[in-house]
Amino acid sequence: MVSSMAASMFFPASSSSGGQPVKSSKPFGGGPDSVDVRGIVAKPASSSGRLQVKTNAQSSPKINGTKVSLRKDSQKSEDDTLSSAPRTFYNQLPDWSMLLAAITTIFLAAEKQLTLLDWKPKRPDMLSDAFGFGMTVHNDLVFRQNFSIRSYEIGADRTASIETLMNHLQETALNHVKSAGLLGDGFGATPEMSRRNLIWVVTKMQVLVERYPIWGDVVEVDTWVGASGKNGMRKDWHVRDPLTGETIMKATSVWVMMNKLTRRLTKIPEEVRGEIEPYFVERTIIVDEDGRKLPKLDDDTADYVRKGLTPHWCDLDVNQHVNNVKYIGWMLESAPISILENYELSSMTLEYRRECGRDSVVQSLTAVSTNCSDNPHDAAVECKHLLRLECGAEIVRGRTQWRPKLAHQLGEAGLMPIGSS
């Protein structure tokens, strides 16, 4: 009797001694791997000598007095089938559909990244250099970069400002040095220049503007460098419409070296010359040099004077002086409003004579050589400019030429000046 009951604890019998079927207990915990009748716990025999057996099964819950089962018979039969299935190599393999889905996701993500890196425009009017990195052309001696004219870069007449175009020139000049692997820790300085605390400063610039792009236009800027005398470097730019090849602007400039600590000009060291000379291009200057001397203005010879101009923190570059593009804006501060409304800048020549620092107070002087109020759409206008410190020290001398704005363009923009029709 005892031996038969002990055996039933580990090996469930198909039927009891009385011919009645043995009811298995509810799986413990409700899972497919729960303990059934084989998980019963036997208590030691009582004083009467009989072995008492207590199962771990819980009673079925009741709803309105009726017992209900926690699992459907179909689910029980399915679990029984799964638990009774033999363990083979095949049913121990992972879910191949999920594995294939994961691999597909990885390949799609990699393909997307490659598509972004090797992006090609599908429309001719789209920016060919999507990320603005630029590239070298013509035996790696000319650097080319594209720019899109943004809404915040246009003026009242819906065209790009001269400061915007000048900033494009400066950006391509710096990226040219970077693409050549010569960018040190300075503003366009090479490694040998950085070791000697040398920086580039511009001494002269000539700009010729054929037309001004509008919002949404894309401009293509080419730049290259060449020698300028024994201790100077010339940098030229050619700005075009990438779709038509039409010239938008041309510019040339002369740069020399200055010691960042002493703020004095210096010769180009041979070590620095060895870095930059391999990138010099023998080309004719893109803009015909204006050899006319720029006159000095004073309070007596100037027609307009604007005083109290001070640089803001955002006007300083990494060399701790005012960026040369800011000088152009200051120079035009003293230009008469009649010129700004009826004319557009067609060319300018600038001679930089002194740097401007954070605490400087600047005065802007302008002299107009033509009375632009008489016939605002008939003749070109030439102006002479001077930026100086309050103490009288010169910063920049300049000459600008202006051409009449096209009347139909002003009319389309709704900016036709009063009395000009």
Side-chain angles (χ1 to χ4, degrees):
M1 178 69 179
V2 175
S3 60
S4 62
M5 294 194 65
S8 66
M9 294 172 58
F10 298 95
F11 305 97
S14 60
S15 63
S16 62
S17 58
Q20 298 295 332
V22 178
K23 295 183 180 180
S24 61
S25 63
K26 183 178 291 295
F28 181 75
D33 296 329
S34 303
V35 180
D36 54 11
V37 294
R38 288 173 290 181
I40 60 177
V41 180
K43 287 187 176 180
S46 64
S47 57
S48 60
R50 292 182 300 172
L51 179 65
Q52 296 180 357
V53 179
K54 183 178 180 180
T55 65
N56 292 327
Q58 298 179 356
S59 60
S60 301
K62 294 182 178 182
I63 299 179
N64 296 330
T66 305
K67 292 184 178 181
V68 296
S69 176
L70 296 179
R71 296 192 302 170
K72 296 181 180 179
D73 295 339
S74 60
Q75 184 177 356
K76 290 182 179 180
S77 60
E78 182 180 353
D79 292 343
D80 294 341
T81 303
L82 292 175
S83 61
S84 61
R87 296 179 60 85
T88 64
F89 174 77
Y90 176 78
N91 59 23
Q92 296 183 48
L93 293 176
D95 191 340
W96 290 106
S97 61
M98 295 184 64
L99 182 60
L100 290 176
I103 295 175
T104 303
T105 303
I106 294 174
F107 273 102
L108 290 176
E111 183 180 6
K112 183 177 181 180
Q113 293 298 323
L114 291 175
T115 302
L116 292 175
L117 292 177
D118 193 24
W119 188 84
K120 297 292 188 302
K122 296 179 175 59
R123 294 188 351 231
D125 60 333
M126 294 178 67
L127 184 62
S128 60
D129 182 14
F131 299 100
F133 293 150
M135 58 183 176
T136 55
V137 295
H138 301 299
N139 297 323
D140 295 336
L141 296 177
V142 177
F143 183 78
R144 175 174 295 169
Q145 187 170 2
N146 291 340
F147 297 92
S148 178
I149 304 301
R150 312 296 181 182
S151 60
Y152 51 83
E153 295 175 328
I154 61 176
D157 53 0
R158 301 186 181 184
T159 61
S161 63
I162 184 63
E163 290 94 335
T164 294
L165 298 179
M166 297 299 292
N167 281 326
H168 291 167
L169 304 188
Q170 181 172 273
E171 181 70 10
T172 52
L174 294 175
N175 287 337
H176 188 192
V177 178
K178 183 177 180 180
S179 68
L182 297 177
L183 188 63
D185 59 356
F187 202 45
T190 66
E192 288 295 334
M193 290 176 61
S194 299
R195 294 187 185 98
R196 292 166 172 78
N197 293 315
L198 299 177
I199 59 176
W200 290 111
V201 291
V202 59
T203 60
K204 187 174 182 179
M205 179 170 288
Q206 289 184 243
V207 178
L208 177 63
V209 183
E210 298 290 345
R211 71 171 180 89
Y212 286 86
I214 62 175
W215 175 27
D217 283 353
V218 176
V219 297
E220 180 183 83
V221 184
D222 284 1
T223 184
W224 58 93
V225 294
S228 178
K230 294 182 179 180
N231 290 294
M233 180 183 70
R234 191 188 79 249
K235 177 168 281 292
D236 292 350
W237 294 270
H238 190 191
V239 184
R240 291 187 296 255
D241 185 327
L243 300 180
T244 64
E246 176 189 4
T247 296
I248 296 176
M249 184 172 71
K250 298 178 181 179
T252 185
S253 60
V254 177
W255 300 72
V256 295
M257 287 191 178
M258 184 178 76
N259 189 289
K260 186 166 56 175
L261 303 179
T262 64
R263 317 307 287 188
R264 295 181 179 274
L265 300 182
T266 182
K267 295 181 179 181
I268 301 179
E270 291 300 323
E271 292 81 1
V272 176
R273 193 181 300 276
E275 288 179 320
I276 62 177
E277 276 191 348
Y279 298 93
F280 283 179
V281 178
E282 294 294 334
R283 282 190 178 185
T284 305
I285 300 177
I286 194 169
V287 178
D288 294 335
E289 185 174 1
D290 187 352
R292 294 179 296 168
K293 184 178 180 180
L294 293 175
K296 179 180 179 179
L297 295 181
D298 53 30
D299 293 332
D300 297 329
T301 57
D303 299 317
Y304 304 89
V305 179
R306 177 72 183 273
K307 298 182 179 180
L309 300 174
T310 57
H312 299 91
W313 178 256
C314 60
D315 297 328
L316 304 178
D317 59 24
V318 297
N319 292 324
Q320 299 302 311
H321 60 208
V322 176
N323 190 282
N324 65 82
V325 177
K326 183 64 180 180
Y327 295 156
I328 300 174
W330 281 344
M331 191 175 63
L332 300 182
E333 283 287 336
S334 59
I337 190 63
S338 57
I339 290 182
L340 301 178
E341 286 182 341
N342 301 308
Y343 293 81
E344 63 182 12
L345 182 65
S346 59
S347 67
M348 64 179 177
T349 301
L350 305 174
E351 289 183 359
Y352 296 87
R353 296 173 176 266
R354 183 184 300 269
E355 64 177 338
C356 180
R358 180 182 60 184
D359 301 324
S360 301
V361 180
V362 180
Q363 297 177 351
S364 176
L365 290 75
T366 296
V368 182
S369 60
T370 305
N371 189 355
C372 59
S373 61
D374 294 339
N375 296 301
H377 297 292
D378 292 342
V381 176
E382 183 176 282
C383 298
K384 300 176 181 64
H385 306 271
L386 175 66
L387 286 182
R388 69 184 183 187
L389 299 175
E390 280 189 326
C391 63
E394 296 184 7
I395 301 175
V396 181
R397 288 187 185 185
R399 179 189 294 112
T400 58
Q401 290 183 331
W402 304 74
R403 60 172 170 255
K405 292 181 179 178
L406 297 180
H408 70 275
Q409 291 181 348
L410 291 173
E412 291 175 357
L415 299 171
M416 182 72 72
I418 298 176
S420 60
S421 57

